[in-house]
């Protein structure tokens, strides 16, 4: 079994609105896989189907070798899930949440204590471990939920927006945690996010999903280099002059002047840079600063969806 | 085996919740005492009550116990909507556990709360001058358990048709209050107009009140076995039905 998730034309309709449209997703075992998409793209709906919470309108998926429709209980035993919205009981303690989860998933009694300690170690709730979760901060709640999802040693962990609304420090500690997890365990992580740097840092492979469909799949690095659009930003006294001298070069895709700043979109920035500098020098144009930037996932996202990830699905086809 | 442990786990969580909300327990004891002392005493002195030797207060004592169970179980059952709103229901629903076990565990947990209240009320029997013996105590508890499971099942069943706690007041006015008033908790069900009598016997709580009255003050309309049988049937019916609807409507619950 090469893929831990394999969906087959999985589709979810709410009345006549299609939230997930015939998606075929293949997630390799022991990878960290990212679903990237704006609000309303259908990420959570897809995860709900894969975790047997919602049943597909059409199609199905095989998870850890089990069919999500016909073998829901086996699927449930194979997965751990952290929902986008909180799923804690405010008057149970952190430890009680873990105990309850272990019992519900039939973790053998003799290893239960050990597992709980192991997870508690990892999520470091400190002395709040035995307090009611209503006294927890957002980050602690999140860590508890992630830890809980691991108690029964799932083969596949779903993380729906694991770091949404958390501060940078907590977010980074959760990233570290996920890294550690995948390095030391036989586990696959499927996460959704709309933090592009999260997908970039963490994921071996991502799929960009929009309007319920997968638009593009690949490793973040590949996707970025496929774009062929590095940005060179310079400041100099006479940007118009320099631009007129180089604008016929085939490497340049686009250019923009704002004040004394010249911005060039070019194919292979590092190769083009020396050329620009020598042209400037021979023409006695003095460049004050120069900067080369490779594209980020943001640019990848804009290219394939036509908008920024933070813009949401406002421009949706209006099928509702 | 895992199913039994699952039921136990759901029960345990429910029981913990019950015990941790102390204010709920206090009101749950205070309200019936108010009924017994104020309503029972007040109405008892205004009317000449020929029903029982011990007077009106003793007559409604089993009725008020039933009422406490009814209110606790239905409101806690409908309270599963709060679990849904807080998202905790999802955690339970993705567990590899049959939907019936979830419902059964939940109903047992809710019933535990109602039984704790029943025990306290039984221990307070001296307030209305009813003697309490071990036999009465145990017999009453058994009947209380049957009523509680049936009513928790009913509460869960109603909850599966509601989306939010907004409907809660409707449930109170259109389900709980009629069940209470029609059960004969406050008046004898003999000698009623036949249309009213008909409705009264459709009310499952009628059989609970009658059974408790039989055990506690030795006064009942129907034989104890009949009452117990109806209660058992009602408990099984509501649990099976809500487990069924829960399995069916699983999708909408999250
Ligand atoms: N129960 C439902 N009934 C009707 N429409 C729904 C339902 N659940 C989701 N939708 C719609 O399906 C679409 C996809 O929702 P989904 O929650 O999967 O998006 P998402 O990608 O997770 O977005 P976000 O990034 O905001 O979490 C949205 O347009 C949403 O309004
Ligand atoms: Mg979502």
């Amino acid at each position: 079994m090469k893929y831990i998730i394999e969906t087959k034309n999985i589709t979810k309709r709410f009345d006549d609105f299609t939230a997930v449209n015939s998606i075929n997703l293949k997630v390799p075992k022991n990878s960290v896989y990212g679903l990237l998409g704006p609000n309303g793209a259908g990420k959570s709906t897809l995860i709900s189907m894969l975790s047997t919470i919602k049943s597909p309108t059409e199609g199905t998926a095989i998870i850890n070798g089990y069919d999500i429709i016909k073998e829901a209980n086996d699927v449930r035993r194979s997965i751990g899930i952290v929902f986008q919205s909180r799923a804690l009981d405010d008057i149970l303690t952190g430890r009680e949440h873990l105990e309850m989860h272990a019992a519900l998933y039939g973790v053998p009694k003799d290893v239960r204590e050990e597992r709980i300690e192991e997870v508690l170690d990892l999520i470091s709730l400190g002395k709040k471990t035995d307090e009611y979760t209503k006294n927890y901060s957002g980050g602690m709640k999140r860590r508890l939920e992630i830890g809980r999802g691991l108690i029964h040693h799932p083969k596949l962990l779903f993380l729906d927006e694991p770091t949404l609304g958390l501060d940078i420090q907590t977010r980074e500690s959760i990233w570290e945690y996920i890294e550690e997890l995948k390095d030391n365990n036989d586990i696959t992580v499927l996460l959704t996010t709309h933090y592009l740097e999260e997908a970039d840092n963490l994921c071996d492979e991502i799929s960009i999903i929009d309007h319920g469909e997968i638009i593009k799949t690949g490793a973040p690095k590949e996707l970025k280099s496929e774009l062929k659009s590095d940005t060179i930003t310079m400041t100099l006294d006479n940007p118009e002059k320099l631009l007129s001298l180089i604008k016929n070069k085939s490497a340049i895709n686009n250019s923009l002047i704002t004040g004394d700043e010249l911005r060039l979109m070019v194919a292979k920035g590092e190769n083009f840079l020396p050329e620009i500098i020598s042209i400037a020098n021979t023409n006695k144009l003095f460049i004050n600063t120069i900067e080369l930037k490779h594209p980020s996932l943001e640019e990848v996202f804009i290219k394939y969806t036509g908008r920024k990830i933070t813009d949401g699905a406002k421009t949706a086809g209006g099928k509702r | 085996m895992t199913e039994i442990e699952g039921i136990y786990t759901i029960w345990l969580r429910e029981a913990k919740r019950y015990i941790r909300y102390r204010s709920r327990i206090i009101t749950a004891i205070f309200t019936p005492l108010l009924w017994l002392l104020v309503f029972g005493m007040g109405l008892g002195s205004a009317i000449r009550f020929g029903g029982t030797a011990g007077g009106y207060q003793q007559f409604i004592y089993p009725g008020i116990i039933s009422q406490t169970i009814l209110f606790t179980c239905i409101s806690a059952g409908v309270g599963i909507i709060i679990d849904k709103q807080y998202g905790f229901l999802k955690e339970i629903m993705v567990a590899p556990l049959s939907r019936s076990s979830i419902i059964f565990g939940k109903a047992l947990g809710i019933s535990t709360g109602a039984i704790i209240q029943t025990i306290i009320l039984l221990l307070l029997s001296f307030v209305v001058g009813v003697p309490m013996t071990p036999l009465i105590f145990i017999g009453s508890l058994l009947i209380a358990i049957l009523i509680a499971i049936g009513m928790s099942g009913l509460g869960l069943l109603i909850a599966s048709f509601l989306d939010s706690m907004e409907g809660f007041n409707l449930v109170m006015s259109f389900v709980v209050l009629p069940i209470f008033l029609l059960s004969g908790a406050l008046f004898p069900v003999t000698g009623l107009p036949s249309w009213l009598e008909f409705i009264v016997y459709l009310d499952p709580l009628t059989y609970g009140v009658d059974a408790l009255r039989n055990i506690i003050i030795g006064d009942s309309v129907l034989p104890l076995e009949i009452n117990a049988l109806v209660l058992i049937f009602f408990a099984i019916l509501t649990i099976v039905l809500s487990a069924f609807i829960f399995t069916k409507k699983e999708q909408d619950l999250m």
Side-chain angles (χ1 to χ4, degrees):
Chain A
M1 190 177 54
K2 194 170 162 223
Y3 298 108
I4 189 110
I5 303 178
E6 221 177 325
T7 73
K8 296 173 179 162
N9 297 320
I10 200 164
T11 300
K12 182 73 187 179
R13 274 184 222 107
F14 297 108
D15 300 323
D16 57 352
F17 174 76
T18 309
V20 171
N21 193 0
S22 195
I23 280 185
N24 289 301
L25 182 74
K26 282 186 174 151
V27 177
K29 260 192 124 169
N30 298 333
S31 63
V32 175
Y33 197 99
L35 288 177
L36 208 56
N39 292 131
K43 305 178 297 287
S44 298
T45 308
L46 179 59
I47 286 196
S48 305
M49 290 190 286
L50 298 181
S51 57
T52 75
I53 286 175
K54 295 203 165 99
S55 58
T57 318
E58 270 164 40
T60 185
I62 306 296
I63 293 207
N64 194 28
Y66 302 111
D67 188 294
I68 54 164
I69 300 169
K70 295 190 207 104
E71 295 158 301
N73 251 2
D74 291 308
V75 171
R76 288 181 183 136
R77 251 184 279 277
S78 315
I79 63 170
I81 179 164
V82 176
F83 299 99
Q84 181 169 355
S85 51
R86 298 285 175 276
L88 297 174
D89 185 336
D90 55 353
I91 56 165
L92 290 184
T93 68
R95 189 190 301 276
E96 283 171 335
H97 274 90
L98 300 180
E99 285 166 354
M100 182 173 172
H101 190 90
L104 285 179
Y105 282 77
V107 174
K109 281 217 173 72
D110 46 327
V111 295
R112 219 173 265 181
E113 202 55 35
E114 191 182 315
R115 292 266 183 97
I116 291 173
E117 288 308 321
E118 184 186 298
V119 164
L120 280 174
D121 239 22
L122 214 61
I123 59 180
S124 49
L125 295 174
K127 56 181 187 326
K128 294 256 176 180
T129 303
D130 293 302
E131 279 183 38
Y132 295 162
T133 57
K134 66 178 171 196
N135 299 336
Y136 285 22
S137 70
M140 294 170 107
K141 286 183 183 166
R142 211 51 176 164
R143 293 206 300 273
L144 174 60
E145 287 181 316
I146 296 178
R148 178 176 66 182
L150 294 168
I151 287 272
H152 56 290
H153 286 185
K155 287 271 174 282
L156 172 63
L157 181 64
F158 292 106
L159 301 174
D160 198 352
E161 308 275 1
T163 63
L164 189 71
L166 300 181
D167 61 84
I168 299 283
Q169 272 164 328
T170 315
R171 194 183 303 166
E172 277 171 357
S173 78
I174 286 179
W175 289 350
E176 229 169 80
Y177 181 32
I178 295 172
E179 292 275 2
E180 230 176 79
L181 200 66
K182 92 166 159 175
D183 292 342
N184 304 326
N185 296 281
D186 173 26
I187 192 170
T188 311
V189 178
L190 179 81
L191 61 88
T192 76
T193 182
H194 44 246
Y195 293 119
L196 293 155
E197 77 268 34
E198 183 161 291
D200 211 350
N201 288 343
L202 227 48
C203 298
D204 302 311
E205 200 172 320
I206 60 167
S207 277
I208 295 177
I209 169 170
D210 197 11
H211 303 319
E213 289 174 23
I214 289 184
I215 308 179
K216 185 75 188 171
T217 297
K221 225 178 174 167
E222 287 164 22
L223 293 179
K224 284 186 287 186
S225 66
E226 257 178 40
L227 273 191
K228 298 202 177 68
S229 73
D230 293 343
T231 312
I232 297 175
T233 311
M234 292 169 276
T235 52
L236 67 167
D237 291 341
N238 197 344
E240 291 84 2
K241 178 91 184 291
L242 180 61
L243 182 58
S244 69
L245 288 168
I246 57 173
K247 71 172 171 224
N248 290 328
K249 303 281 176 200
S250 62
I252 299 180
N253 293 327
N254 213 340
S255 63
L256 181 75
I257 294 177
T258 38
D260 60 353
E261 187 187 273
L262 172 59
R263 187 178 296 205
L264 302 171
M265 256 57 89
V266 300
K268 282 227 153 76
E270 52 274 34
N271 299 349
F272 194 49
L273 214 49
E275 202 181 334
I276 296 181
I277 294 172
S278 81
I279 291 175
N281 278 343
T282 35
N283 292 283
K284 302 261 174 335
L285 288 166
F286 293 103
I287 297 172
N288 298 325
T289 63
I290 189 160
E291 190 190 357
L292 168 67
K293 252 173 80 181
H294 296 297
S296 68
L297 266 189
E298 173 103 46
E299 273 95 46
V300 175
F301 190 84
I302 292 172
K303 159 146 193 209
Y304 290 107
T305 64
R307 61 189 193 280
K308 286 189 172 182
I309 194 160
T310 45
D311 287 352
K314 277 176 245 149
T315 51
K319 277 184 281 183
R320 297 205 69 182
Chain B
M1 184 54 217
T2 45
E3 292 290 328
I4 291 176
E5 171 145 43
I7 294 172
Y8 167 76
T9 308
I10 307 261
W11 168 82
L12 183 65
R13 181 238 172 189
E14 211 61 44
K16 279 181 182 163
R17 274 184 82 81
Y18 180 82
I19 291 170
R20 286 173 191 179
Y21 279 120
R22 293 219 183 78
S23 63
R24 208 160 66 183
I25 308 184
I26 293 167
T27 45
I29 300 303
F30 181 70
T31 315
L33 280 180
L34 214 56
W35 273 95
L36 282 176
L37 292 178
V38 180
F39 187 81
M41 186 99 63
L43 195 66
S45 10
I47 57 169
R48 202 171 314 123
F49 186 71
T52 341
Y56 187 64
Q57 247 186 338
Q58 287 194 6
F59 176 79
I60 64 168
Y61 175 58
I64 297 305
I65 293 178
S66 310
Q67 178 219 35
T68 308
I69 301 172
L70 169 76
F71 277 48
T72 300
C73 290
I74 301 261
S75 54
V78 174
I80 197 172
I81 293 173
I82 297 177
D83 274 355
K84 182 175 155 184
Q85 281 173 343
Y86 276 89
F88 193 72
L89 192 58
K90 282 190 287 197
E91 154 73 0
I92 294 173
M93 296 296 267
V94 285
L97 188 66
S98 82
R99 315 294 96 168
S100 314
S101 300
I102 294 177
I103 287 293
F104 194 53
K106 192 95 188 162
L108 286 183
I110 295 168
S111 301
T112 304
I115 296 308
I116 293 174
Q117 281 161 225
T118 307
I119 291 174
I120 297 173
L121 286 178
L122 287 173
L123 294 178
L124 289 173
S125 69
F126 62 87
V127 172
V128 290
V130 171
M132 189 52 57
T133 67
L135 204 62
I136 294 180
F137 188 77
I138 290 169
S140 307
L141 271 192
L142 289 178
I143 294 296
I145 290 172
L146 292 180
I147 304 175
I149 293 180
M151 292 304 165
S152 320
L154 184 61
L156 292 167
L157 189 61
I158 295 170
S160 63
F161 292 99
L162 294 178
D163 282 333
S164 67
M165 284 306 274
E166 239 172 278
F168 187 74
N169 288 331
L170 285 180
V171 174
M172 279 306 180
S173 321
F174 286 92
V175 180
V176 177
L177 221 49
I179 289 183
F180 168 52
L181 290 176
L182 289 168
S183 69
L186 301 176
F187 54 82
V189 294
T190 44
L192 295 172
S194 58
W195 65 269
L196 187 55
E197 188 170 16
F198 177 75
I199 304 176
V200 160
Y201 282 107
L202 283 182
D203 180 348
L205 196 63
T206 302
Y207 303 89
V209 173
D210 201 47
L212 285 179
R213 212 165 261 157
N214 181 312
I215 294 170
I216 296 173
I217 55 174
D219 173 26
S220 77
V221 183
L222 297 169
L224 186 57
E225 311 85 68
I226 301 284
N227 284 327
L229 270 178
V230 174
L231 290 174
I232 290 171
F233 174 76
F234 179 67
I236 294 175
L237 181 76
T238 59
I239 295 292
V240 169
L241 216 55
S242 47
F244 177 74
I245 304 259
F246 229 68
T247 313
K248 271 262 152 190
K249 296 190 57 162
E250 180 183 21
Q251 303 282 313
D252 308 336
L253 290 167
M254 286 171 286

